[in-house]
C-alpha cells in the first residue's frame, strides 16, 4: 500500500490558519490550537506544513522538565545544528528569543496536552517577546490545560478542530493508497466502524488490499468488508 496524504477540510483550514498568523506579522500573532481525538490527522497536517514551509517542530515527551523542554525547542529553532544544548532553562529561553528575533518562524508543539502549564507559560513568553506563532497540537485535554490561565487562552488566535474521517475521504484514501474501489455505502460503514479514526481506516485498507490481491479484484464488496470487520474488534476501549 502506498504512503499517501489526502487533502481534507481540516488540513486546509489548518494551513490557512497558520498562513494567516505567519503572514500577518507580529501584531496579529498568537497561539493556534489544533485539536481532536487521536487518529484524526492533526500531526500529519502539522508535519506536512512544517516539511513544506518550514518552522520548528517539537514533539513533547512525557515528564519533560522546564530545562529539557526549552533545550529541545532551542535545538529545533536553530535548525538542529550541533548537539542538544546542555544549558539552563533561562539561558535556553533567552537563546530561543534571540534567534526568533532575527528569524521569525512558527513553532509547532505536538502532543502539547502532555505539557505542564508552566511550559505553556514559557511558550507565551516566547510568543510575546518575538511574535513567533506557536501552534499547539493536542487532544481534547488541552482545553482544560489552557483554561487554567486566562492570559494564555486570550492569546489563542485560531482554533482548528480535526473531526472524524468522512466516507468521501475514505473513498479517496482507498483509491490513492491501495487502488481499491469502494462503494459509497461501504465507505460509510468503514468510517462508522473506525469511529472516524484515520489510523484504523488505514489498517482496514491494509487488510482489504491483501484480500483484493488474493482475489485479483480491487472492487470491494460487502462480503470482503465483513471479513475484515470480523478479523478484530476495531473499536476503542
Amino acid at each position: 500500500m502506498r504512503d499517501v496524504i489526502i487533502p481534507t477540510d481540516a488540513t486546509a483550514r489548518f494551513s490557512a490558519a497558520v498562513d494567516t498568523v505567519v503572514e500577518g506579522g507580529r501584531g496579529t500573532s498568537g497561539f493556534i490550537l489544533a485539536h481532536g481525538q487521536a487518529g484524526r490527522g492533526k500531526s500529519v497536517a502539522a508535519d506536512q506544513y512544517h516539511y513544506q514551509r518550514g518552522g520548528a517542530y517539537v514533539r513533547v515527551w512525557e515528564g519533560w522538565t522546564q530545562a529539557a523542554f526549552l533545550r529541545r525547542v532551542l535545538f529545533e529553532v536553530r535548525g538542529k545544528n550541533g548537539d542538544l544544548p546542555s544549558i539552563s532553562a533561562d539561558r535556553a529561553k533567552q537563546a530561543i528569543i534571540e534567534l526568533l528575533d532575527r528569524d521569525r518562524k512558527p513553532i509547532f508543539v505536538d502532543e502539547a496536552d502532555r505539557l505542564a502549564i508552566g511550559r505553556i507559560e514559557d511558550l507565551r513568553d516566547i510568543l510575546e517577546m518575538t511574535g513567533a506563532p506557536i501552534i499547539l497540537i493536542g487532544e481534547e485535554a488541552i482545553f482544560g490545560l489552557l483554561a487554567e490561565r486566562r492570559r494564555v487562552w486570550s492569546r489563542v488566535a485560531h482554533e482548528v478542530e480535526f473531526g472524524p474521517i468522512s466516507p468521501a475521504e475514505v473513498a479517496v484514501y482507498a483509491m490513492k493508497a491501495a487502488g481499491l474501489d469502494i462503494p459509497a455505502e461501504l465507505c460509510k460503514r468503514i468510517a462508522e466502524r473506525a469511529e472516524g479514526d484515520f489510523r484504523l481506516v488505514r489498517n482496514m485498507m491494509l487488510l482489504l488490499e491483501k484480500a483484493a490481491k488474493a482475489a485479483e479484484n480491487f472492487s470491494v464488496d460487502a462480503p470482503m468488508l465483513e471479513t475484515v470487520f470480523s478479523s478484530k474488534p476495531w473499536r476503542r476501549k
Side-chain angles (χ1 to χ4, degrees):
M1 196 166 80
R2 294 182 291 277
D3 186 15
V4 300
I5 298 174
I6 63 168
T8 67
D9 175 65
T11 300
R13 287 186 286 108
F14 175 83
S15 295
V18 179
D19 283 345
T20 297
V21 176
V22 170
E23 296 168 5
R26 297 178 64 148
T28 60
S29 193
F31 287 108
I32 295 174
L33 179 57
H35 60 91
Q37 293 180 13
R40 297 291 170 85
K42 306 179 300 297
S43 296
V44 172
D47 187 63
Q48 183 181 34
Y49 189 102
H50 168 252
Y51 177 77
Q52 293 177 345
R53 308 185 202 183
Y57 196 103
V58 177
R59 191 178 302 274
V60 174
W61 286 15
E62 185 68 26
W64 259 347
T65 63
Q66 182 187 31
F69 173 65
L70 290 172
R71 288 168 188 165
R72 174 58 65 175
V73 174
L74 174 58
F75 180 72
E76 300 295 339
V77 166
R78 73 183 185 188
K80 300 183 180 180
N81 296 319
D83 298 327
L84 192 69
S86 57
I87 56 179
S88 69
D90 186 65
R91 287 184 62 195
K93 185 189 286 190
Q94 189 59 47
I96 293 165
I97 290 169
E98 290 171 359
L99 287 170
L100 292 175
D101 266 339
R102 295 197 298 267
D103 180 19
R104 179 177 173 268
K105 65 179 70 174
I107 301 175
F108 300 86
V109 184
D110 201 358
E111 300 200 29
D113 50 295
R114 304 175 80 177
L115 289 172
I117 188 61
R119 304 298 70 74
I120 301 293
E121 291 283 11
D122 285 326
L123 291 171
R124 184 177 69 88
D125 290 339
I126 292 167
L127 167 65
E128 293 191 343
M129 293 297 294
T130 68
I134 309 290
I135 299 90
L136 302 175
I137 305 139
E139 296 186 34
E140 301 303 321
I142 197 167
F143 282 101
L145 179 66
L146 297 183
E148 292 184 32
R149 304 287 172 88
R150 183 177 294 274
R151 60 179 175 266
V152 173
W153 183 255
S154 67
R155 286 164 177 78
V156 175
H158 297 274
E159 283 184 53
V160 181
E161 181 179 5
F162 283 75
I165 187 170
S166 70
E169 290 165 350
V170 169
V172 172
Y173 179 73
M175 180 56 69
K176 289 189 173 183
L180 296 170
D181 182 12
I182 306 180
E185 64 271 18
L186 298 186
C187 288
K188 181 179 179 181
R189 292 183 60 195
I190 290 170
E192 290 173 348
R193 181 59 67 92
E195 297 181 345
D197 189 323
F198 177 80
R199 294 191 188 101
L200 293 184
V201 171
R202 179 182 181 277
N203 292 341
M204 289 179 187
M205 294 304 156
L206 287 168
L207 296 179
L208 285 171
E209 182 189 41
K210 183 177 180 181
K213 287 180 177 178
E216 298 184 345
N217 181 6
F218 282 76
S219 294
V220 175
D221 56 19
M224 188 186 297
L225 184 59
E226 286 299 336
T227 300
V228 169
F229 280 172
S230 64
S231 66
K232 58 184 293 185
W234 297 108
R235 294 188 180 278
R236 297 180 184 274
K237 298 297 185 183

